[in-house]
Amino acid sequence: MPQFSETELTDAVIKSFEEVQDPRIKFLMEELVKSLHAFVRKTDLTFAEWEYAIDFLTRVGQKCTPSRQEFILLSDVLGVSMLVDAVNHRQREGATETTVLGPFYVGEHKVMPHGTDVSPNLEGEKMFVQGRVTNLEGKPLANVPVDIWHADDDGWYDSQKPDYETAGPSSRGRFVTDADGRFYFRTILPCSYPIPTDGPVGQMILALHRHPMRPAHVHFLVNAPGHEPLVTHVFVEGDKYIDTDVVFGVKEELIAKVEKRTDPTMPDGKPAKAPWHLMTYEFRLKPGQGVAPKPMAAVSEDA
């Protein structure tokens, strides 16, 4: 007769996985059980704490919708998302650094001509973004789709707004690199913004006396054939939250100096009606294969 005591219970649970055929699944479950059981023993977890944890995770799940993934937010603020990214991109070999996809990627964007203003109806200071995509040797990569998206001047993404389904996308688009690997577009200068604090993850952050802010940035997803897909941000130098990003997503290489300009024309020769900002960045891709990430809603539907 087995004795499911504190000292024997872990081995008994691990033994229950003996018939699992997939070695990776078996390994993951064994390590998960070991870590969970070790946490309970090390902390002398009480019934009240265990019940609170169950209730918290229940509320996280209840907050999820097709356009909001509270579990991803929980993973982000605990540093798990960036840790998964780090262990999957250990050897960058001169390639541009990666960072988290974030919860506001909605899938493939509409292809737009170079120079398009992706934020034509939004308030904010104008910004011209020019980028170039190359391989590790600096050779330009042509016909590469580059998805971009960012928050508005109030810190909101289009998909967070109630009228998103009817108003359509804003501050997002897809540009295809030219023969020299270049792309460019107009938008507004993004600002730092808080993660959603109206759910259990936000409540946890505030209870831990952490601020909920992310530094200003633009998201990029670069997907060139024969190269690993690149998911990254370019951060605005000088943002007050650069060193304390709530999701731990900043890397020094990804910080760009965004210049304030007063030139009467932008780099493509079109007139500028007021002072504007210039963001310039070169993306270096690592050779290899891979599948570009899907938005979390699509992942859930496929699961």
Side-chain angles (χ1 to χ4, degrees):
M1 176 71 69
Q3 299 296 316
F4 295 136
S5 64
E6 177 182 340
T7 57
E8 297 178 3
L9 184 57
T10 304
D11 288 340
V13 176
I14 290 175
K15 187 177 181 179
S16 73
F17 304 142
E18 284 182 346
E19 300 302 319
V20 176
Q21 298 300 307
D22 188 312
R24 180 63 178 175
I25 292 176
K26 183 178 181 181
F27 170 74
L28 291 175
M29 289 303 301
E30 289 174 348
E31 295 304 312
L32 176 63
V33 168
K34 290 176 186 177
S35 296
L36 285 174
H37 286 211
F39 175 81
V40 172
R41 292 191 188 93
K42 185 175 181 179
T43 61
D44 290 326
L45 197 69
T46 68
F47 273 112
E49 292 163 341
W50 175 74
E51 290 169 354
Y52 183 88
I54 296 297
D55 177 68
F56 174 79
L57 293 175
T58 300
R59 288 185 284 118
V60 169
Q62 290 170 340
K63 198 65 178 178
C64 295
T65 70
S67 60
R68 175 167 177 169
Q69 237 299 347
E70 194 79 357
F71 273 109
I72 289 294
L73 192 62
L74 177 61
S75 174
D76 289 348
V77 302
L78 293 179
V80 177
S81 300
M82 277 302 295
L83 185 57
V84 172
D85 181 80
V87 300
N88 281 272
H89 297 102
R90 285 181 171 133
Q91 302 298 325
R92 296 307 296 154
E93 301 172 1
T96 297
E97 291 287 352
T98 59
T99 189
V100 291
L101 179 68
F104 302 115
Y105 177 62
V106 299
E108 292 189 0
H109 299 149
K110 178 183 177 181
V111 175
M112 299 178 174
H114 294 171
T116 298
D117 187 345
V118 300
S119 308
N121 302 315
L122 297 180
E123 296 291 330
E125 299 180 34
K126 293 296 182 180
M127 183 171 72
F128 189 94
V129 180
Q130 55 186 14
R132 188 167 185 253
V133 180
T134 74
N135 64 13
L136 296 184
E137 289 72 44
K139 180 181 178 181
L141 298 177
N143 299 315
V144 174
V146 180
D147 284 8
I148 66 94
W149 65 103
H150 68 82
D152 65 18
D153 193 43
D154 294 319
W156 293 93
Y157 287 82
D158 53 1
S159 59
Q160 291 180 283
K161 299 176 182 178
D163 64 347
Y164 174 63
E165 295 297 332
T166 55
S170 180
S171 300
R172 69 173 70 238
R174 169 173 288 190
F175 298 90
V176 179
T177 61
D178 63 16
D180 197 35
R182 299 185 185 278
F183 66 94
Y184 56 91
F185 60 93
R186 287 175 170 76
T187 186
I188 59 171
L189 184 69
C191 67
S192 48
Y193 64 87
I195 61 168
T197 56
D198 60 335
V201 175
Q203 293 165 8
M204 179 189 75
I205 285 294
L206 298 178
L208 294 171
H209 303 287
R210 288 174 57 188
H211 73 69
M213 302 299 293
R214 295 218 65 201
H217 59 273
V218 178
H219 294 259
F220 293 87
L221 169 56
V222 188
N223 191 17
H227 296 78
E228 291 184 1
L230 173 66
V231 175
T232 196
H233 306 359
V234 175
F235 294 90
V236 177
E237 183 183 63
D239 189 285
K240 65 184 292 186
Y241 298 106
I242 281 285
D243 296 326
T244 58
D245 181 8
V246 67
V247 307
F248 310 99
V250 179
K251 297 178 180 178
E252 185 174 1
E253 180 194 300
L254 301 178
I255 301 171
K257 182 177 182 179
V258 178
E259 306 172 64
K260 188 164 187 178
R261 306 289 289 268
T262 57
D263 312 43
T265 58
M266 291 188 180
D268 60 356
K270 294 183 179 179
K273 298 179 180 179
W276 51 282
H277 301 263
L278 176 64
M279 173 184 281
T280 303
Y281 201 84
E282 183 168 298
F283 302 88
R284 302 177 307 279
L285 301 193
K286 182 179 178 180
Q289 301 296 326
V291 179
K294 297 180 180 180
M296 290 312 301
V299 171
S300 298
E301 291 166 3
D302 291 347

Short mmCIF file of all heavy atoms in Angstrom, two decimals, residues 128-172:
data_model
loop_
_atom_site.label_atom_id
_atom_site.label_comp_id
_atom_site.label_asym_id
_atom_site.label_seq_id
_atom_site.Cartn_x
_atom_site.Cartn_y
_atom_site.Cartn_z
N PHE A 128 8.85 60.01 -38.75
CA PHE A 128 9.21 59.28 -39.97
C PHE A 128 10.11 58.13 -39.56
O PHE A 128 11.12 58.33 -38.88
CB PHE A 128 9.96 60.22 -40.93
CG PHE A 128 10.19 59.64 -42.30
CD1 PHE A 128 9.30 59.89 -43.34
CD2 PHE A 128 11.31 58.84 -42.57
CE1 PHE A 128 9.51 59.36 -44.61
CE2 PHE A 128 11.53 58.32 -43.83
CZ PHE A 128 10.62 58.57 -44.86
N VAL A 129 9.74 56.92 -39.95
CA VAL A 129 10.51 55.72 -39.60
C VAL A 129 11.14 55.17 -40.87
O VAL A 129 10.43 54.92 -41.85
CB VAL A 129 9.62 54.65 -38.94
CG1 VAL A 129 10.44 53.41 -38.60
CG2 VAL A 129 8.95 55.20 -37.69
N GLN A 130 12.45 55.00 -40.84
CA GLN A 130 13.13 54.38 -41.98
C GLN A 130 13.96 53.20 -41.49
O GLN A 130 14.70 53.30 -40.51
CB GLN A 130 14.01 55.40 -42.72
CG GLN A 130 15.02 56.12 -41.86
CD GLN A 130 15.75 57.23 -42.63
OE1 GLN A 130 15.35 57.63 -43.72
NE2 GLN A 130 16.84 57.72 -42.05
N GLY A 131 13.82 52.08 -42.14
CA GLY A 131 14.51 50.86 -41.72
C GLY A 131 15.16 50.16 -42.90
O GLY A 131 14.84 50.44 -44.07
N ARG A 132 16.05 49.27 -42.59
CA ARG A 132 16.72 48.46 -43.62
C ARG A 132 16.90 47.05 -43.08
O ARG A 132 17.23 46.86 -41.91
CB ARG A 132 18.07 49.08 -43.98
CG ARG A 132 18.76 48.43 -45.19
CD ARG A 132 19.91 49.31 -45.66
NE ARG A 132 20.53 48.80 -46.88
CZ ARG A 132 21.73 48.21 -46.92
NH1 ARG A 132 22.45 48.08 -45.81
NH2 ARG A 132 22.22 47.76 -48.07
N VAL A 133 16.69 46.06 -43.93
CA VAL A 133 16.81 44.66 -43.56
C VAL A 133 17.97 44.05 -44.32
O VAL A 133 18.03 44.14 -45.56
CB VAL A 133 15.51 43.89 -43.86
CG1 VAL A 133 15.66 42.43 -43.46
CG2 VAL A 133 14.33 44.52 -43.13
N THR A 134 18.91 43.44 -43.59
CA THR A 134 20.07 42.82 -44.22
C THR A 134 20.32 41.44 -43.60
O THR A 134 19.74 41.09 -42.57
CB THR A 134 21.35 43.66 -44.03
OG1 THR A 134 21.80 43.54 -42.66
CG2 THR A 134 21.10 45.13 -44.33
N ASN A 135 21.24 40.70 -44.22
CA ASN A 135 21.73 39.48 -43.59
C ASN A 135 22.89 39.84 -42.67
O ASN A 135 23.21 41.03 -42.48
CB ASN A 135 22.11 38.42 -44.64
CG ASN A 135 23.28 38.87 -45.52
OD1 ASN A 135 23.98 39.84 -45.24
ND2 ASN A 135 23.50 38.13 -46.60
N LEU A 136 23.55 38.85 -42.11
CA LEU A 136 24.62 39.13 -41.14
C LEU A 136 25.83 39.79 -41.78
O LEU A 136 26.62 40.45 -41.09
CB LEU A 136 25.04 37.84 -40.43
CG LEU A 136 23.98 37.16 -39.57
CD1 LEU A 136 24.57 35.96 -38.85
CD2 LEU A 136 23.39 38.14 -38.56
N GLU A 137 25.99 39.65 -43.09
CA GLU A 137 27.12 40.26 -43.78
C GLU A 137 26.79 41.66 -44.29
O GLU A 137 27.62 42.31 -44.93
CB GLU A 137 27.55 39.39 -44.97
CG GLU A 137 28.25 38.09 -44.57
CD GLU A 137 27.28 37.07 -43.98
OE1 GLU A 137 26.17 36.90 -44.54
OE2 GLU A 137 27.62 36.47 -42.94
N GLY A 138 25.58 42.12 -44.02
CA GLY A 138 25.19 43.45 -44.46
C GLY A 138 24.57 43.51 -45.85
O GLY A 138 24.29 44.60 -46.36
N LYS A 139 24.37 42.35 -46.47
CA LYS A 139 23.74 42.34 -47.79
C LYS A 139 22.25 42.59 -47.64
O LYS A 139 21.57 41.97 -46.84
CB LYS A 139 23.96 40.97 -48.45
CG LYS A 139 23.34 40.87 -49.84
CD LYS A 139 23.56 39.49 -50.44
CE LYS A 139 22.90 39.37 -51.81
NZ LYS A 139 23.10 38.01 -52.40
N PRO A 140 21.72 43.54 -48.44
CA PRO A 140 20.29 43.86 -48.31
C PRO A 140 19.40 42.68 -48.69
O PRO A 140 19.73 41.91 -49.60
CB PRO A 140 20.10 45.03 -49.28
CG PRO A 140 21.22 44.92 -50.25
CD PRO A 140 22.38 44.36 -49.47
N LEU A 141 18.29 42.56 -48.01
CA LEU A 141 17.30 41.52 -48.29
C LEU A 141 16.06 42.19 -48.87
O LEU A 141 15.41 42.99 -48.19
CB LEU A 141 16.96 40.74 -47.03
CG LEU A 141 18.13 39.99 -46.37
CD1 LEU A 141 17.67 39.32 -45.07
CD2 LEU A 141 18.70 38.94 -47.33
N ALA A 142 15.77 41.87 -50.12
CA ALA A 142 14.65 42.49 -50.82
C ALA A 142 13.38 41.66 -50.69
O ALA A 142 13.43 40.47 -50.41
CB ALA A 142 15.01 42.67 -52.31
N ASN A 143 12.24 42.31 -50.91
CA ASN A 143 10.92 41.67 -50.92
C ASN A 143 10.61 40.96 -49.61
O ASN A 143 9.99 39.90 -49.59
CB ASN A 143 10.82 40.67 -52.08
CG ASN A 143 10.99 41.35 -53.44
OD1 ASN A 143 10.39 42.40 -53.68
ND2 ASN A 143 11.79 40.76 -54.30
N VAL A 144 11.04 41.57 -48.51
CA VAL A 144 10.81 41.01 -47.18
C VAL A 144 9.65 41.75 -46.52
O VAL A 144 9.69 42.97 -46.39
CB VAL A 144 12.06 41.12 -46.30
CG1 VAL A 144 11.76 40.66 -44.88
CG2 VAL A 144 13.21 40.32 -46.91
N PRO A 145 8.60 41.03 -46.09
CA PRO A 145 7.51 41.70 -45.38
C PRO A 145 7.93 42.11 -43.96
O PRO A 145 8.53 41.31 -43.24
CB PRO A 145 6.40 40.65 -45.36
CG PRO A 145 7.12 39.35 -45.47
CD PRO A 145 8.34 39.60 -46.29
N VAL A 146 7.61 43.34 -43.61
CA VAL A 146 7.91 43.87 -42.28
C VAL A 146 6.61 44.38 -41.68
O VAL A 146 6.04 45.36 -42.16
CB VAL A 146 8.94 45.02 -42.35
CG1 VAL A 146 9.24 45.55 -40.95
CG2 VAL A 146 10.23 44.57 -43.04
N ASP A 147 6.11 43.70 -40.66
CA ASP A 147 4.91 44.15 -39.96
C ASP A 147 5.31 45.11 -38.85
O ASP A 147 6.28 44.86 -38.12
CB ASP A 147 4.15 42.97 -39.35
CG ASP A 147 3.37 42.18 -40.39
OD1 ASP A 147 3.53 42.46 -41.60
OD2 ASP A 147 2.60 41.28 -39.99
N ILE A 148 4.56 46.21 -38.71
CA ILE A 148 4.83 47.18 -37.65
C ILE A 148 3.53 47.49 -36.91
O ILE A 148 2.44 47.44 -37.49
CB ILE A 148 5.47 48.47 -38.21
CG1 ILE A 148 4.46 49.24 -39.12
CG2 ILE A 148 6.72 48.15 -39.01
CD1 ILE A 148 3.67 50.31 -38.40
N TRP A 149 3.65 47.79 -35.62
CA TRP A 149 2.49 48.23 -34.85
C TRP A 149 2.98 48.93 -33.58
O TRP A 149 4.06 48.66 -33.08
CB TRP A 149 1.54 47.08 -34.53
CG TRP A 149 2.02 45.98 -33.63
CD1 TRP A 149 1.72 45.79 -32.31
CD2 TRP A 149 2.89 44.88 -33.99
NE1 TRP A 149 2.34 44.66 -31.83
CE2 TRP A 149 3.06 44.09 -32.84
CE3 TRP A 149 3.53 44.51 -35.18
CZ2 TRP A 149 3.86 42.94 -32.83
CZ3 TRP A 149 4.33 43.37 -35.16
CH2 TRP A 149 4.48 42.59 -34.02
N HIS A 150 2.19 49.88 -33.09
CA HIS A 150 2.57 50.59 -31.86
C HIS A 150 1.36 51.28 -31.26
O HIS A 150 0.29 51.38 -31.88
CB HIS A 150 3.72 51.58 -32.12
CG HIS A 150 3.36 52.75 -32.99
ND1 HIS A 150 2.72 53.87 -32.52
CD2 HIS A 150 3.58 52.97 -34.31
CE1 HIS A 150 2.56 54.74 -33.50
NE2 HIS A 150 3.07 54.21 -34.60
N ALA A 151 1.54 51.77 -30.06
CA ALA A 151 0.46 52.45 -29.34
C ALA A 151 0.35 53.90 -29.81
O ALA A 151 1.27 54.46 -30.42
CB ALA A 151 0.74 52.42 -27.84
N ASP A 152 -0.79 54.52 -29.52
CA ASP A 152 -1.00 55.92 -29.93
C ASP A 152 -0.45 56.88 -28.88
O ASP A 152 0.23 56.47 -27.92
CB ASP A 152 -2.49 56.18 -30.20
CG ASP A 152 -3.37 56.04 -28.96
OD1 ASP A 152 -2.86 56.08 -27.82
OD2 ASP A 152 -4.61 55.89 -29.13
N ASP A 153 -0.76 58.15 -29.03
CA ASP A 153 -0.21 59.18 -28.16
C ASP A 153 -0.78 59.12 -26.74
O ASP A 153 -0.25 59.72 -25.82
CB ASP A 153 -0.47 60.56 -28.77
CG ASP A 153 0.34 61.67 -28.11
OD1 ASP A 153 1.54 61.45 -27.84
OD2 ASP A 153 -0.23 62.74 -27.81
N ASP A 154 -1.86 58.37 -26.58
CA ASP A 154 -2.45 58.17 -25.25
C ASP A 154 -2.06 56.83 -24.64
O ASP A 154 -2.49 56.48 -23.54
CB ASP A 154 -3.98 58.26 -25.32
CG ASP A 154 -4.45 59.66 -25.68
OD1 ASP A 154 -3.87 60.63 -25.16
OD2 ASP A 154 -5.39 59.77 -26.50
N GLY A 155 -1.25 56.04 -25.38
CA GLY A 155 -0.81 54.76 -24.87
C GLY A 155 -1.74 53.60 -25.16
O GLY A 155 -1.61 52.53 -24.56
N TRP A 156 -2.66 53.77 -26.12
CA TRP A 156 -3.61 52.71 -26.46
C TRP A 156 -3.28 52.12 -27.82
O TRP A 156 -2.96 52.83 -28.77
CB TRP A 156 -5.04 53.27 -26.51
CG TRP A 156 -5.57 53.70 -25.19
CD1 TRP A 156 -5.52 54.95 -24.65
CD2 TRP A 156 -6.25 52.89 -24.24
NE1 TRP A 156 -6.12 54.97 -23.42
CE2 TRP A 156 -6.57 53.72 -23.13
CE3 TRP A 156 -6.60 51.53 -24.19
CZ2 TRP A 156 -7.24 53.24 -22.01
CZ3 TRP A 156 -7.27 51.05 -23.07
CH2 TRP A 156 -7.57 51.90 -22.00
N TYR A 157 -3.41 50.80 -27.93
CA TYR A 157 -3.35 50.13 -29.22
C TYR A 157 -4.75 50.13 -29.83
O TYR A 157 -5.76 50.11 -29.11
CB TYR A 157 -2.85 48.70 -29.08
CG TYR A 157 -1.37 48.59 -28.79
CD1 TYR A 157 -0.87 48.74 -27.49
CD2 TYR A 157 -0.45 48.36 -29.81
CE1 TYR A 157 0.49 48.65 -27.23
CE2 TYR A 157 0.91 48.26 -29.56
CZ TYR A 157 1.38 48.41 -28.27
OH TYR A 157 2.72 48.32 -28.02
N ASP A 158 -4.80 50.09 -31.16
CA ASP A 158 -6.11 50.12 -31.82
C ASP A 158 -7.02 49.00 -31.36
O ASP A 158 -8.21 49.19 -31.15
CB ASP A 158 -5.94 50.09 -33.35
CG ASP A 158 -5.07 48.93 -33.85
OD1 ASP A 158 -4.61 48.12 -33.03
OD2 ASP A 158 -4.86 48.84 -35.08
N SER A 159 -6.45 47.80 -31.18
CA SER A 159 -7.27 46.64 -30.81
C SER A 159 -7.83 46.72 -29.40
O SER A 159 -8.70 45.92 -29.04
CB SER A 159 -6.46 45.34 -30.97
OG SER A 159 -5.30 45.37 -30.14
N GLN A 160 -7.36 47.69 -28.60
CA GLN A 160 -7.90 47.89 -27.25
C GLN A 160 -9.15 48.76 -27.25
O GLN A 160 -9.85 48.83 -26.24
CB GLN A 160 -6.85 48.54 -26.34
CG GLN A 160 -5.67 47.68 -25.99
CD GLN A 160 -4.69 48.42 -25.10
OE1 GLN A 160 -3.93 49.26 -25.57
NE2 GLN A 160 -4.71 48.13 -23.82
N LYS A 161 -9.41 49.43 -28.35
CA LYS A 161 -10.48 50.42 -28.40
C LYS A 161 -11.80 49.77 -28.76
O LYS A 161 -11.85 48.83 -29.56
CB LYS A 161 -10.13 51.52 -29.40
CG LYS A 161 -8.85 52.26 -29.04
CD LYS A 161 -8.47 53.29 -30.09
CE LYS A 161 -7.15 53.97 -29.73
NZ LYS A 161 -6.74 54.95 -30.76
N PRO A 162 -12.91 50.25 -28.18
CA PRO A 162 -14.22 49.64 -28.42
C PRO A 162 -14.65 49.63 -29.88
O PRO A 162 -15.39 48.75 -30.30
CB PRO A 162 -15.17 50.52 -27.58
CG PRO A 162 -14.30 51.17 -26.56
CD PRO A 162 -12.97 51.36 -27.21
N ASP A 163 -14.18 50.61 -30.67
CA ASP A 163 -14.62 50.71 -32.06
C ASP A 163 -13.66 50.03 -33.03
O ASP A 163 -13.73 50.26 -34.25
CB ASP A 163 -14.80 52.17 -32.46
CG ASP A 163 -13.48 52.95 -32.43
OD1 ASP A 163 -12.50 52.42 -31.87
OD2 ASP A 163 -13.46 54.08 -32.95
N TYR A 164 -12.76 49.18 -32.52
CA TYR A 164 -11.74 48.56 -33.38
C TYR A 164 -12.36 47.80 -34.55
O TYR A 164 -11.90 47.91 -35.69
CB TYR A 164 -10.85 47.63 -32.55
CG TYR A 164 -9.86 46.84 -33.38
CD1 TYR A 164 -8.87 47.47 -34.11
CD2 TYR A 164 -9.94 45.44 -33.44
CE1 TYR A 164 -7.96 46.74 -34.88
CE2 TYR A 164 -9.04 44.71 -34.20
CZ TYR A 164 -8.05 45.36 -34.92
OH TYR A 164 -7.16 44.65 -35.68
N GLU A 165 -13.42 47.03 -34.29
CA GLU A 165 -14.01 46.21 -35.35
C GLU A 165 -14.60 47.06 -36.47
O GLU A 165 -14.59 46.66 -37.64
CB GLU A 165 -15.10 45.29 -34.76
CG GLU A 165 -14.55 44.25 -33.78
CD GLU A 165 -13.58 43.28 -34.45
OE1 GLU A 165 -13.73 43.04 -35.67
OE2 GLU A 165 -12.69 42.75 -33.76
N THR A 166 -15.11 48.23 -36.14
CA THR A 166 -15.73 49.08 -37.16
C THR A 166 -14.75 50.12 -37.71
O THR A 166 -14.77 50.42 -38.91
CB THR A 166 -16.96 49.80 -36.59
OG1 THR A 166 -16.58 50.52 -35.40
CG2 THR A 166 -18.05 48.80 -36.23
N ALA A 167 -13.90 50.66 -36.86
CA ALA A 167 -12.97 51.71 -37.30
C ALA A 167 -11.79 51.14 -38.07
O ALA A 167 -11.19 51.82 -38.89
CB ALA A 167 -12.48 52.51 -36.09
N GLY A 168 -11.43 49.90 -37.80
CA GLY A 168 -10.32 49.27 -38.50
C GLY A 168 -8.98 49.58 -37.85
O GLY A 168 -8.90 50.31 -36.86
N PRO A 169 -7.90 49.05 -38.43
CA PRO A 169 -6.57 49.18 -37.83
C PRO A 169 -6.02 50.59 -37.91
O PRO A 169 -6.37 51.38 -38.80
CB PRO A 169 -5.72 48.21 -38.64
CG PRO A 169 -6.41 48.10 -39.96
CD PRO A 169 -7.87 48.23 -39.66
N SER A 170 -5.15 50.89 -36.97
CA SER A 170 -4.45 52.18 -36.93
C SER A 170 -3.10 51.96 -36.29
O SER A 170 -2.96 51.13 -35.38
CB SER A 170 -5.26 53.21 -36.14
OG SER A 170 -4.60 54.45 -36.10
N SER A 171 -2.10 52.68 -36.74
CA SER A 171 -0.73 52.55 -36.23
C SER A 171 -0.21 51.12 -36.39
O SER A 171 0.50 50.61 -35.53
CB SER A 171 -0.64 53.00 -34.77
OG SER A 171 -1.03 54.34 -34.64
N ARG A 172 -0.58 50.51 -37.48
CA ARG A 172 -0.07 49.19 -37.82
C ARG A 172 -0.13 49.02 -39.33
O ARG A 172 -0.93 49.65 -40.01
CB ARG A 172 -0.81 48.07 -37.09
CG ARG A 172 -2.23 47.83 -37.50
CD ARG A 172 -2.80 46.58 -36.82
NE ARG A 172 -3.01 46.74 -35.39
CZ ARG A 172 -2.44 45.96 -34.46
NH1 ARG A 172 -1.64 44.97 -34.82
NH2 ARG A 172 -2.69 46.17 -33.17
#
